[in-house]
Amino acid sequence: MREAGKVVSLIFKRLEDLIRPGISTKDIDDLVERTVKEHGMKAAEKGYYGYPASVCTSVNEEVVHGIPSKDRILSEGDIVSCDLVVEYKGYMADACRTYGVGKISEDAQHLIDTAERAFFNGIKNAVPGKRLRDISREVQNTVEGEGFGVIRDYVGHGIGSEMHEDPQIPNYVCPGPNPRLQKGMTIAVEPMICEGNWKVKVLDDDWTAVTVDGGWAAHYENTIVVTDGEPEIITL
């Protein structure tokens, strides 16, 4: 998982140089697939329940699972979330970043920064003895404290030999399983946040989830390992 995480991190560094006005989301997908193959690994999202690409590219009001397309051209001021999973020797690393395209508004940057800060505030509680809901509470408090909404329909998760494993890790406090964290757990924590109403709908492609009110969304995720001390982030 650490080796897969290194390639995830490398992809994000390369995307920083690639993402600019005028490129297509298919260009992003091509870079991801090329980098994964270069390292003898696999883009785990491709073919997952029929998903057709190596990365999810979600632009502006799209929250998650946007499908890359040569016809989707990024414009100055857009934001795009790139969510990807790399598999190596049967094990997974999952992460997401939201990028600004060219010069973006202060409001858009605030949204992106809040998603990232919510992640780091949340994983302060990713230590043995704490419970999953302690992560969820800190994420929710951070996001709502900045006036943004927390997406309810999509959540973080355990990860290992499968992309999605138990337990689910909501980004808000809700009823349900609340296991105590233990050393050796590997989990993907991923705040997904939006400007307005947190409700989403799925488009006719059966994948792309968008906010119902058109508010923009940001997504920040890493795969982490619970240790004796501070959590280890393997995709950073």
Side-chain angles (χ1 to χ4, degrees):
M1 290 178 71
R2 287 188 180 101
E3 292 305 307
K6 290 176 184 176
V7 173
V8 170
S9 180
L10 173 62
I11 289 169
F12 288 140
K13 289 177 183 176
R14 291 181 175 180
L15 288 178
E16 288 177 5
D17 296 328
L18 175 73
I19 292 174
R20 61 185 183 277
I23 73 159
S24 72
T25 52
K26 179 65 165 59
D27 293 327
I28 295 173
D29 185 58
D30 290 344
L31 182 147
V32 172
E33 186 155 347
R34 185 168 62 250
T35 306
V36 169
K37 288 181 177 178
E38 176 187 314
H39 288 82
M41 299 187 186
K42 178 183 176 183
E45 288 178 348
K46 194 164 190 177
Y48 186 73
Y49 289 100
Y51 186 75
S54 298
V55 59
C56 297
T57 54
S58 305
V59 182
N60 298 342
E61 76 280 1
E62 296 170 356
V63 178
V64 70
H65 302 157
I67 301 173
S69 168
K70 61 181 175 54
D71 298 321
R72 187 63 187 267
I73 306 300
L74 298 178
S75 299
E76 185 88 16
D78 286 342
I79 63 174
V80 57
S81 298
C82 301
D83 186 7
L84 60 107
V85 184
V86 172
E87 179 182 347
Y88 181 57
K89 295 185 177 180
Y91 287 89
M92 313 281 178
D94 184 3
C96 183
R97 301 286 185 271
T98 301
Y99 297 91
V101 182
K103 185 176 181 180
I104 64 174
S105 69
E106 290 184 6
D107 288 344
Q109 190 63 57
H110 183 205
L111 182 72
I112 292 171
D113 291 345
T114 299
E116 180 175 349
R117 188 157 58 86
F119 167 84
F120 283 101
N121 285 349
I123 68 164
K124 290 175 183 177
N125 291 315
V127 294
K130 291 280 192 174
R131 292 187 181 273
L132 279 182
R133 204 167 292 154
D134 295 321
I135 298 175
S136 304
R137 181 178 296 106
E138 194 60 42
V139 170
Q140 182 175 15
N141 287 346
T142 301
V143 174
E144 294 182 347
E146 296 295 329
F148 296 122
V150 177
I151 301 297
R152 269 35 173 197
D153 294 59
Y154 302 96
V155 298
H157 50 88
I159 184 170
S161 59
E162 300 289 338
M163 188 185 307
H164 297 115
E165 300 180 351
D166 288 333
Q168 291 193 342
I169 308 168
N171 294 305
Y172 63 102
V173 175
C174 61
N178 188 28
R180 198 174 296 280
L181 296 167
Q182 300 177 36
K183 179 184 177 182
M185 283 183 168
T186 49
I187 57 177
V189 178
E190 51 179 320
M192 283 169 267
I193 74 173
C194 59
E195 289 181 313
N197 193 313
W198 55 261
K199 293 183 179 180
V200 302
K201 62 181 179 181
V202 177
L203 300 183
D204 291 342
D205 63 13
D206 292 328
W207 283 103
T208 309
V210 302
T211 57
V212 295
D213 61 1
W216 284 15
H219 183 183
Y220 187 90
E221 174 185 20
N222 283 300
T223 297
I224 68 171
V225 183
V226 179
T227 71
D228 282 331
E230 297 295 315
E232 176 188 354
I233 305 172
I234 68 171
T235 49
L236 189 63

